[in-house]
Amino acid sequence: MNLELYQQVCLNYDLPEYQLKKGDIATLIDFATHPHNQEEGCILEVFNALGESIHVVAIPKSWIVSLQSNQIFSVRTFALAS
């Protein structure tokens, strides 16, 4: 998978600790080398539908996929923790 900085990607797994679900869209903002030579990581920024930043998360590269032309966006409710 060829990933570039600042491209939009799709989560391939749920991240319940951040209230994020498989299929949510995020922006790839950096790559992170694993300190013990394991899988490379990605730093993602997640935005709400208005373009406001919600979370910045670090996850393994295999947990995201590139967007495809046969996909469409959808909207779901996201409850921010107080």
Side-chain angles (χ1 to χ4, degrees):
M1 173 175 36
N2 186 24
L3 296 171
E4 296 182 19
L5 291 179
Y6 309 112
Q7 82 177 76
Q8 289 185 314
V9 295
C10 181
L11 294 178
N12 208 21
Y13 291 91
D14 290 345
L15 299 174
E17 63 272 28
Y18 298 105
Q19 299 177 324
L20 299 174
K21 296 184 179 185
K22 180 178 180 176
D24 286 348
I25 306 301
T27 301
L28 175 61
I29 59 172
D30 206 355
F31 294 99
T33 304
H34 194 283
H36 302 291
N37 294 324
Q38 294 181 9
E39 182 179 0
E40 181 179 27
C42 292
I43 310 298
L44 307 177
E45 187 165 6
V46 183
F47 298 90
N48 67 15
L50 300 179
E52 301 162 334
S53 181
I54 306 171
H55 290 298
V56 174
V57 299
I59 61 172
K61 187 176 180 180
S62 63
W63 288 22
I64 59 173
V65 294
S66 297
L67 298 181
Q68 304 297 313
S69 62
N70 65 343
Q71 297 170 322
I72 61 170
F73 291 104
S74 67
V75 175
R76 69 177 180 85
T77 302
F78 180 84
L80 288 174
S82 300

